[in-house]
Coordinates of all heavy atoms in Angstrom, one line a residue:
M473 N 63.3 111.0 111.7 CA 64.8 111.0 111.5 C 65.1 110.7 110.0 O 64.6 109.7 109.4 CB 65.4 109.9 112.4 CG 66.8 109.9 112.3 SD 67.4 108.7 113.6 CE 68.9 109.5 114.1
R474 N 66.0 111.5 109.4 CA 66.3 111.3 108.0 C 67.4 110.3 107.8 O 68.3 110.3 108.7 CB 66.8 112.7 107.4 CG 65.7 113.7 107.4 CD 66.2 115.1 106.9 NE 67.3 115.0 106.1 CZ 68.1 116.1 105.9 NH1 67.9 117.2 106.6 NH2 69.2 116.0 105.1
P475 N 67.4 109.5 106.8 CA 68.5 108.6 106.5 C 69.8 109.3 106.2 O 69.8 110.4 105.7 CB 68.1 107.8 105.3 CG 66.8 108.4 104.8 CD 66.4 109.5 105.8
R476 N 70.9 108.8 106.7 CA 72.2 109.4 106.5 C 73.1 108.4 105.8 O 73.8 107.6 106.4 CB 72.8 109.8 107.8 CG 72.0 110.8 108.5 CD 72.7 111.3 109.7 NE 72.0 112.5 110.3 CZ 71.7 112.7 111.5 NH1 72.0 111.7 112.4 NH2 71.1 113.7 111.9
P477 N 73.1 108.5 104.4 CA 73.9 107.5 103.7 C 75.4 107.6 103.9 O 76.1 106.6 103.9 CB 73.6 107.8 102.2 CG 73.0 109.1 102.2 CD 72.4 109.4 103.6
H478 N 75.9 108.8 104.2 CA 77.3 109.0 104.4 C 77.7 108.3 105.7 O 78.8 107.7 105.8 CB 77.7 110.5 104.5 CG 77.5 111.2 103.2 ND1 77.7 110.6 102.0 CD2 77.1 112.5 102.9 CE1 77.5 111.5 101.0 NE2 77.1 112.6 101.6
L479 N 76.9 108.4 106.7 CA 77.2 107.8 108.0 C 77.2 106.2 107.9 O 78.1 105.6 108.4 CB 76.1 108.2 109.1 CG 76.3 107.5 110.5 CD1 77.7 107.9 111.0 CD2 75.2 108.0 111.4
A480 N 76.2 105.7 107.1 CA 76.1 104.3 106.9 C 77.4 103.8 106.1 O 78.0 102.7 106.4 CB 74.9 103.9 106.1
L481 N 77.8 104.6 105.1 CA 79.0 104.2 104.4 C 80.2 104.2 105.3 O 81.1 103.3 105.2 CB 79.2 105.1 103.2 CG 80.4 104.9 102.3 CD1 80.3 103.5 101.7 CD2 80.5 105.9 101.2
A482 N 80.4 105.2 106.2 CA 81.5 105.3 107.1 C 81.5 104.1 108.0 O 82.6 103.5 108.2 CB 81.4 106.6 107.9
V483 N 80.4 103.7 108.5 CA 80.3 102.5 109.4 C 80.7 101.2 108.7 O 81.4 100.4 109.2 CB 78.9 102.4 110.0 CG1 78.7 101.1 110.8 CG2 78.6 103.6 111.0
L484 N 80.2 101.0 107.5 CA 80.5 99.9 106.7 C 82.0 99.8 106.4 O 82.6 98.7 106.4 CB 79.7 99.8 105.4 CG 78.2 99.5 105.6 CD1 77.5 99.6 104.2 CD2 78.0 98.1 106.1
T485 N 82.6 101.0 106.1 CA 84.1 101.0 105.8 C 84.9 100.6 107.0 O 85.8 99.9 106.9 CB 84.4 102.4 105.3 OG1 83.7 102.8 104.2 CG2 85.9 102.5 105.0
L486 N 84.5 101.1 108.2 CA 85.2 100.7 109.4 C 85.0 99.2 109.7 O 86.0 98.6 110.1 CB 84.6 101.6 110.6 CG 85.0 103.0 110.6 CD1 84.3 103.7 111.8 CD2 86.5 103.1 110.8
L487 N 83.8 98.7 109.5 CA 83.6 97.3 109.8 C 84.5 96.4 108.8 O 85.0 95.4 109.2 CB 82.2 96.9 109.6 CG 81.3 97.4 110.8 CD1 79.8 97.1 110.5 CD2 81.7 96.8 112.1
A488 N 84.6 96.8 107.5 CA 85.4 96.1 106.6 C 86.9 96.1 107.0 O 87.6 95.2 106.7 CB 85.2 96.7 105.2
A489 N 87.3 97.2 107.5 CA 88.7 97.4 107.9 C 89.1 96.4 109.1 O 90.2 96.1 109.3 CB 89.0 98.8 108.3
C490 N 88.1 96.0 109.8 CA 88.3 95.1 111.0 C 88.5 93.7 110.6 O 88.9 92.8 111.3 CB 87.1 95.2 112.0 SG 87.0 96.8 112.7
G491 N 88.1 93.3 109.3 CA 88.2 92.0 108.8 C 89.7 91.5 108.6 O 90.6 92.3 108.7
P492 N 89.8 90.3 108.3 CA 91.2 89.8 108.0 C 91.8 90.4 106.8 O 91.2 90.9 105.9 CB 91.0 88.3 107.8 CG 89.5 88.0 107.9 CD 88.8 89.3 108.1
M493 N 93.1 90.5 106.8 CA 93.9 91.1 105.8 C 94.2 90.0 104.7 O 94.2 88.8 105.0 CB 95.3 91.5 106.4 CG 96.2 92.3 105.4 SD 97.7 92.8 106.2 CE 97.2 94.1 107.2
S494 N 94.4 90.4 103.5 CA 94.7 89.5 102.4 C 96.1 88.8 102.7 O 97.0 89.4 103.3 CB 94.8 90.2 101.1 OG 96.0 90.9 100.9
P495 N 96.2 87.5 102.3 CA 97.5 86.8 102.6 C 98.7 87.5 101.9 O 99.8 87.6 102.5 CB 97.3 85.4 101.9 CG 95.8 85.2 102.0 CD 95.2 86.6 101.8
E496 N 98.5 88.1 100.8 CA 99.7 88.8 100.1 C 100.1 90.0 100.9 O 101.3 90.2 101.1 CB 99.3 89.2 98.7 CG 100.4 89.8 97.9 CD 101.7 88.9 97.8 OE1 101.5 87.7 97.7 OE2 102.8 89.4 97.8
R497 N 99.2 90.8 101.4 CA 99.5 92.0 102.2 C 100.1 91.6 103.5 O 101.0 92.2 104.0 CB 98.2 92.8 102.4 CG 98.4 94.0 103.3 CD 98.8 95.2 102.5 NE 98.7 96.3 103.4 CZ 99.7 97.1 103.7 NH1 100.8 97.0 103.1 NH2 99.5 98.1 104.6
A498 N 99.5 90.5 104.1 CA 100.1 90.0 105.4 C 101.5 89.5 105.2 O 102.4 89.7 106.1 CB 99.2 88.9 105.9
Y499 N 101.8 88.9 104.1 CA 103.2 88.4 103.8 C 104.1 89.6 103.8 O 105.2 89.5 104.4 CB 103.2 87.6 102.5 CG 104.6 87.2 102.1 CD1 105.3 86.2 102.7 CD2 105.3 87.9 101.1 CE1 106.6 85.8 102.4 CE2 106.6 87.6 100.8 CZ 107.2 86.5 101.4 OH 108.5 86.2 101.1
Q500 N 103.8 90.6 103.1 CA 104.6 91.8 103.0 C 104.9 92.4 104.4 O 106.0 92.7 104.8 CB 104.0 92.8 102.1 CG 104.0 92.4 100.6 CD 103.2 93.3 99.7 OE1 102.5 94.2 100.2 NE2 103.2 93.1 98.5
T501 N 103.8 92.6 105.1 CA 103.8 93.3 106.4 C 104.6 92.4 107.4 O 105.5 92.9 108.1 CB 102.4 93.5 107.0 OG1 101.7 94.3 106.1 CG2 102.5 94.1 108.4
C502 N 104.4 91.1 107.4 CA 105.0 90.2 108.4 C 106.4 89.9 108.1 O 107.3 89.7 108.9 CB 104.2 89.0 108.6 SG 102.5 89.3 109.3
S503 N 106.8 89.9 106.8 CA 108.2 89.7 106.4 C 109.0 90.9 106.8 O 110.1 90.7 107.3 CB 108.3 89.6 104.8 OG 107.7 88.4 104.4
E504 N 108.5 92.1 106.7 CA 109.2 93.3 107.2 C 109.4 93.2 108.7 O 110.5 93.5 109.2 CB 108.5 94.5 106.8 CG 108.5 94.9 105.3 CD 107.6 96.0 105.0 OE1 107.2 96.8 105.9 OE2 107.2 96.2 103.8
R505 N 108.4 92.8 109.4 CA 108.5 92.7 110.8 C 109.6 91.6 111.2 O 110.3 91.8 112.2 CB 107.2 92.4 111.4 CG 107.2 92.4 112.9 CD 105.8 92.5 113.5 NE 105.9 92.4 114.9 CZ 105.0 92.1 115.8 NH1 103.8 91.9 115.3 NH2 105.2 92.1 117.0
A506 N 109.6 90.5 110.5 CA 110.5 89.4 110.8 C 112.0 89.9 110.5 O 112.9 89.5 111.2 CB 110.2 88.2 110.0
R507 N 112.1 90.6 109.4 CA 113.5 91.1 109.1 C 114.0 92.0 110.2 O 115.2 92.0 110.5 CB 113.5 91.9 107.7 CG 113.6 91.0 106.5 CD 113.8 91.8 105.2 NE 113.2 91.0 104.2 CZ 112.0 91.2 103.8 NH1 111.2 92.1 104.3 NH2 111.5 90.4 102.8
A508 N 113.1 92.9 110.7 CA 113.5 93.8 111.8 C 113.8 93.0 113.1 O 114.6 93.4 113.9 CB 112.3 94.8 112.0
A509 N 113.2 91.8 113.3 CA 113.5 91.0 114.4 C 114.8 90.3 114.3 O 115.4 89.9 115.3 CB 112.4 90.0 114.6
A510 N 115.3 90.2 113.1 CA 116.6 89.5 112.8 C 117.8 90.4 113.2 O 118.9 89.9 113.4 CB 116.7 89.1 111.3
G511 N 117.6 91.7 113.2 CA 118.7 92.6 113.5 C 118.3 94.0 113.2 O 117.3 94.3 112.6
P512 N 119.2 94.9 113.6 CA 118.9 96.3 113.4 C 118.8 96.6 111.9 O 119.5 96.0 111.1 CB 120.2 97.0 114.0 CG 120.7 96.1 114.9 CD 120.4 94.7 114.4
T513 N 117.9 97.6 111.6 CA 117.8 98.0 110.2 C 118.2 99.4 110.1 O 118.3 100.1 111.1 CB 116.3 97.9 109.8 OG1 115.5 98.7 110.6 CG2 115.8 96.5 109.8
G514 N 118.5 99.9 108.9 CA 118.9 101.3 108.7 C 119.2 101.7 107.3 O 119.2 100.8 106.4
S515 N 119.5 102.9 107.2 CA 120.0 103.5 105.9 C 120.9 104.7 106.1 O 120.8 105.3 107.2 CB 118.8 103.9 105.0 OG 118.1 104.9 105.7
I516 N 121.7 104.9 105.1 CA 122.6 106.1 105.1 C 122.4 106.8 103.8 O 122.3 106.2 102.8 CB 124.1 105.6 105.2 CG1 124.3 104.8 106.6 CG2 125.0 106.8 105.1 CD1 125.7 104.2 106.7
G517 N 122.4 108.1 103.9 CA 122.3 108.9 102.7 C 123.2 110.1 102.7 O 123.4 110.7 103.8
V518 N 123.9 110.3 101.6 CA 124.8 111.4 101.5 C 124.5 112.2 100.2 O 124.2 111.5 99.2 CB 126.3 110.9 101.4 CG1 127.3 112.1 101.3 CG2 126.6 110.1 102.7
G519 N 124.5 113.5 100.2 CA 124.2 114.2 99.0 C 124.8 115.6 99.1 O 125.3 116.1 100.1
V520 N 124.8 116.3 97.9 CA 125.3 117.7 97.8 C 124.2 118.4 97.1 O 123.7 118.0 96.0 CB 126.6 117.7 97.0 CG1 127.1 119.2 96.9 CG2 127.7 116.9 97.7
G521 N 123.8 119.5 97.7 CA 122.8 120.4 97.1 C 123.2 121.8 97.1 O 124.4 122.2 97.4
S522 N 122.3 122.7 96.8 CA 122.6 124.1 96.7 C 123.0 124.7 98.1 O 123.7 125.7 98.3 CB 121.5 124.9 96.2 OG 120.3 124.8 97.0
G523 N 122.5 124.0 99.2 CA 122.9 124.4 100.5 C 124.1 123.7 101.1 O 124.5 123.9 102.2
G524 N 124.8 123.0 100.2 CA 126.1 122.3 100.6 C 125.8 120.8 100.9 O 124.8 120.3 100.5
P525 N 126.8 120.2 101.4 CA 126.7 118.7 101.6 C 125.7 118.4 102.7 O 125.5 119.1 103.7 CB 128.1 118.3 102.1 CG 128.8 119.5 102.5 CD 128.1 120.7 101.9
T526 N 125.0 117.3 102.6 CA 124.0 116.8 103.5 C 124.3 115.3 103.8 O 124.8 114.6 103.0 CB 122.6 116.9 103.1 OG1 122.4 116.2 101.9 CG2 122.2 118.4 102.8
A527 N 123.9 114.9 105.0 CA 124.0 113.4 105.4 C 122.8 113.1 106.2 O 122.3 113.9 106.9 CB 125.3 113.2 106.1
R528 N 122.5 111.8 106.1 CA 121.3 111.3 106.8 C 121.6 109.9 107.3 O 122.2 109.1 106.5 CB 120.1 111.3 105.9 CG 118.8 110.8 106.6 CD 117.6 110.8 105.6 NE 117.9 110.1 104.3 CZ 117.8 108.8 104.1 NH1 117.5 108.0 105.1 NH2 118.1 108.3 103.0
L529 N 121.3 109.6 108.5 CA 121.5 108.2 109.1 C 120.2 107.8 109.8 O 119.7 108.6 110.7 CB 122.7 108.2 110.0 CG 122.9 106.9 110.8 CD1 123.3 105.8 109.9 CD2 124.0 107.2 111.9
E530 N 119.7 106.6 109.5 CA 118.6 106.1 110.2 C 118.9 104.7 110.7 O 119.4 103.9 110.0 CB 117.3 106.0 109.3 CG 116.8 107.4 108.9 CD 115.6 107.2 108.0 OE1 114.9 106.2 108.0 OE2 115.3 108.2 107.2
V531 N 118.6 104.4 112.0 CA 118.8 103.1 112.5 C 117.5 102.7 113.3 O 116.9 103.5 114.0 CB 119.9 103.1 113.5 CG1 120.1 101.7 114.2 CG2 121.2 103.5 112.8
G532 N 117.0 101.5 113.0 CA 115.8 101.0 113.7 C 116.1 99.7 114.4 O 116.8 98.8 113.9
I533 N 115.7 99.7 115.7 CA 115.8 98.5 116.5 C 114.5 98.2 117.1 O 113.9 99.0 117.7 CB 116.9 98.6 117.6 CG1 118.3 98.9 117.0 CG2 117.0 97.4 118.5 CD1 119.3 99.3 118.0
T534 N 113.9 97.0 116.9 CA 112.6 96.6 117.3 C 112.7 95.9 118.7 O 113.7 95.4 119.1 CB 111.9 95.7 116.3 OG1 112.5 94.5 116.3 CG2 111.8 96.4 115.0
S535 N 111.5 95.9 119.4 CA 111.4 95.2 120.6 C 111.6 93.7 120.4 O 112.1 93.0 121.3 CB 110.1 95.5 121.4 OG 109.0 95.1 120.5
D536 N 111.2 93.2 119.2 CA 111.3 91.8 118.9 C 112.8 91.4 118.9 O 113.2 90.4 119.4 CB 110.7 91.4 117.6 CG 109.2 91.5 117.6 OD1 108.6 91.1 118.7 OD2 108.6 91.8 116.6
Y537 N 113.6 92.3 118.3 CA 115.1 92.0 118.2 C 115.7 92.1 119.6 O 116.5 91.2 120.0 CB 115.8 93.0 117.3 CG 117.3 93.0 117.4 CD1 118.0 91.9 116.8 CD2 118.0 94.0 118.0 CE1 119.3 91.8 116.9 CE2 119.4 93.9 118.1 CZ 120.1 92.8 117.5 OH 121.4 92.7 117.6
L538 N 115.3 93.1 120.4 CA 115.9 93.3 121.8 C 115.5 92.1 122.7 O 116.3 91.7 123.5 CB 115.4 94.6 122.4 CG 115.9 95.8 121.7 CD1 115.3 97.1 122.3 CD2 117.5 95.9 121.8
A539 N 114.3 91.5 122.4 CA 113.9 90.4 123.2 C 114.4 89.1 122.7 O 114.2 88.0 123.4 CB 112.3 90.3 123.2
G540 N 115.1 89.1 121.6 CA 115.8 87.9 121.1 C 114.8 86.9 120.5 O 115.0 85.7 120.4
R541 N 113.6 87.4 120.0 CA 112.6 86.6 119.4 C 113.1 86.0 118.0 O 113.7 86.7 117.2 CB 111.3 87.3 119.2 CG 110.7 87.6 120.5 CD 109.3 88.2 120.4 NE 108.8 88.6 121.7 CZ 108.8 89.8 122.2 NH1 109.2 90.8 121.4 NH2 108.3 90.1 123.4
D542 N 112.7 84.8 117.7 CA 113.1 84.1 116.5 C 112.3 84.8 115.4 O 111.0 84.9 115.5 CB 112.7 82.7 116.6 CG 112.9 81.9 115.3 OD1 113.5 82.4 114.4 OD2 112.6 80.7 115.3
P543 N 112.9 85.3 114.3 CA 112.2 85.9 113.2 C 111.1 85.0 112.6 O 110.0 85.5 112.2 CB 113.3 86.3 112.2 CG 114.5 86.4 113.0 CD 114.3 85.4 114.1
Q544 N 111.3 83.7 112.5 CA 110.3 82.8 112.0 C 109.1 82.8 112.8 O 108.0 82.8 112.3 CB 110.9 81.4 111.9 CG 110.0 80.4 111.2 CD 109.7 80.7 109.8 OE1 110.6 81.0 109.0 NE2 108.4 80.7 109.4
L545 N 109.2 82.8 114.2 CA 108.1 82.8 115.1 C 107.4 84.2 115.0 O 106.1 84.3 115.1 CB 108.5 82.5 116.5 CG 109.0 81.1 116.7 CD1 109.5 80.9 118.1 CD2 108.0 80.1 116.4
V546 N 108.1 85.3 114.9 CA 107.5 86.6 114.7 C 106.7 86.6 113.5 O 105.5 87.1 113.5 CB 108.6 87.7 114.7 CG1 108.1 89.0 114.3 CG2 109.4 87.8 116.0
Y547 N 107.2 86.1 112.4 CA 106.5 86.0 111.1 C 105.2 85.2 111.3 O 104.1 85.7 110.9 CB 107.4 85.4 110.0 CG 106.7 85.1 108.7 CD1 106.3 86.2 107.9 CD2 106.4 83.8 108.4 CE1 105.6 85.9 106.7 CE2 105.8 83.5 107.2 CZ 105.4 84.6 106.3 OH 104.7 84.3 105.1
D548 N 105.3 84.1 111.8 CA 104.1 83.2 112.0 C 103.1 83.8 112.9 O 101.9 83.8 112.5 CB 104.6 81.8 112.6 CG 103.5 80.8 112.6 OD1 103.1 80.3 111.5 OD2 102.9 80.5 113.7
R549 N 103.4 84.4 114.0 CA 102.5 85.0 114.9 C 101.8 86.2 114.2 O 100.6 86.4 114.3 CB 103.1 85.4 116.2 CG 102.2 86.1 117.1 CD 102.8 86.5 118.4 NE 103.3 85.3 119.1 CZ 104.4 85.2 119.9 NH1 105.1 86.3 120.0 NH2 104.7 84.1 120.5
C550 N 102.6 87.0 113.5 CA 102.1 88.2 112.8 C 101.1 87.8 111.8 O 100.0 88.3 111.7 CB 103.2 89.0 112.2 SG 102.8 90.3 111.2
F551 N 101.4 86.8 111.0 CA 100.5 86.3 109.9 C 99.2 85.8 110.4 O 98.1 86.1 109.9 CB 101.2 85.2 109.1 CG 100.7 85.1 107.7 CD1 101.3 85.7 106.6 CD2 99.5 84.3 107.5 CE1 100.8 85.5 105.3 CE2 99.0 84.1 106.2 CZ 99.6 84.7 105.1
R552 N 99.3 85.0 111.5 CA 98.0 84.5 112.1 C 97.2 85.6 112.7 O 95.9 85.6 112.6 CB 98.4 83.5 113.2 CG 98.9 82.2 112.6 CD 99.3 81.2 113.7 NE 100.0 80.1 113.1 CZ 99.5 79.0 112.5 NH1 98.2 79.0 112.4 NH2 100.2 78.1 112.0
Q553 N 97.8 86.6 113.3 CA 97.0 87.7 113.8 C 96.3 88.5 112.7 O 95.2 89.0 112.9 CB 97.9 88.7 114.6 CG 98.4 88.1 116.0 CD 99.3 89.0 116.7 OE1 99.9 89.9 116.1 NE2 99.5 88.7 118.0
L554 N 97.0 88.7 111.6 CA 96.5 89.6 110.5 C 95.4 88.8 109.6 O 94.5 89.5 109.1 CB 97.6 90.1 109.7 CG 98.5 91.1 110.4 CD1 99.6 91.6 109.4 CD2 97.8 92.3 110.9
T555 N 95.6 87.5 109.5 CA 94.7 86.8 108.6 C 93.8 85.8 109.3 O 92.8 85.4 108.7 CB 95.5 86.0 107.5 OG1 96.2 85.0 108.2 CG2 96.5 86.9 106.7
G556 N 94.1 85.4 110.5 CA 93.3 84.4 111.1 C 93.6 83.0 110.7 O 92.9 82.1 111.1
A557 N 94.7 82.8 109.9 CA 95.1 81.5 109.4 C 96.7 81.5 109.4 O 97.3 82.5 109.6 CB 94.6 81.3 108.0
G558 N 97.2 80.3 109.2 CA 98.6 80.1 109.1 C 99.2 80.7 107.8 O 98.5 81.0 106.9
P559 N 100.5 80.9 107.8 CA 101.2 81.5 106.6 C 100.9 80.6 105.4 O 100.9 79.4 105.4 CB 102.6 81.5 107.0 CG 102.7 81.5 108.5 CD 101.5 80.7 108.9
T560 N 100.7 81.3 104.2 CA 100.6 80.6 103.0 C 101.9 80.6 102.2 O 102.0 79.8 101.2 CB 99.5 81.4 102.1 OG1 99.9 82.7 102.0 CG2 98.1 81.3 102.8
R561 N 102.9 81.3 102.6 CA 104.2 81.3 102.0 C 105.3 81.3 103.0 O 105.1 81.8 104.1 CB 104.4 82.6 101.2 CG 103.5 82.8 100.0 CD 103.5 84.1 99.3 NE 104.9 84.5 98.9 CZ 105.1 85.7 98.4 NH1 104.2 86.6 98.1 NH2 106.4 86.0 98.0
P562 N 106.4 80.6 102.7 CA 107.4 80.6 103.7 C 108.1 81.9 103.8 O 108.2 82.7 102.9 CB 108.4 79.5 103.2 CG 108.1 79.5 101.7 CD 106.7 79.8 101.6
L563 N 108.7 82.2 105.0 CA 109.5 83.4 105.2 C 110.8 83.3 104.5 O 111.5 82.3 104.6 CB 109.7 83.6 106.7 CG 110.6 84.8 107.0 CD1 110.0 86.1 106.6 CD2 110.9 84.8 108.5
I564 N 111.1 84.3 103.7 CA 112.4 84.4 103.0 C 113.1 85.7 103.5 O 112.6 86.7 103.2 CB 112.3 84.3 101.5 CG1 111.6 83.1 101.1 CG2 113.7 84.5 100.9 CD1 111.3 83.0 99.6
L565 N 114.1 85.5 104.3 CA 114.8 86.7 104.8 C 115.9 87.2 103.8 O 116.6 87.0 103.2 CB 115.5 86.5 106.1 CG 114.5 86.3 107.3 CD1 115.2 86.0 108.6 CD2 113.6 87.5 107.5

């Protein structure tokens, strides 16, 4: 059987992805999730182009918001799941 370096590299990459996330990245991810738990999120866009006027509306409602979960608890649980440790920074909404 011949060695397959590409296969070994792919396996190592997948194993590395299973490890804990950096605290900074977890803070960003979990802060967004906590903000979404605090209330509906969304954006509105209006513009004019060669095809005439355009409009865009996006609204996001998460299951955390619908369940009435505390954004602080959502943040804490998310951070622990992603890093395996407690939050290193407080949540700022």
Side-chain angles (χ1 to χ4, degrees):
M473 183 176 215
R474 293 177 27 203
R476 296 189 172 131
H478 296 323
L479 179 60
L481 181 60
V483 170
L484 288 175
T485 302
L486 286 173
L487 289 174
C490 294
M493 185 181 284
S494 75
E496 186 57 35
R497 174 92 170 120
Y499 175 76
Q500 292 170 353
T501 301
C502 297
S503 292
E504 289 173 19
R505 188 163 174 198
R507 274 189 214 92
T513 59
S515 64
I516 299 174
V518 179
V520 178
S522 59
T526 60
R528 181 181 51 85
L529 173 66
E530 292 181 23
V531 177
I533 299 175
T534 66
S535 60
D536 289 328
Y537 172 72
L538 292 175
R541 292 188 184 101
D542 178 5
Q544 183 65 45
L545 294 177
V546 169
Y547 171 74
D548 186 72
R549 179 178 296 147
C550 174
F551 201 97
R552 289 176 189 281
Q553 287 175 344
L554 294 179
T555 66
T560 56
R561 293 171 56 181
L563 173 63
I564 301 172
L565 291 177

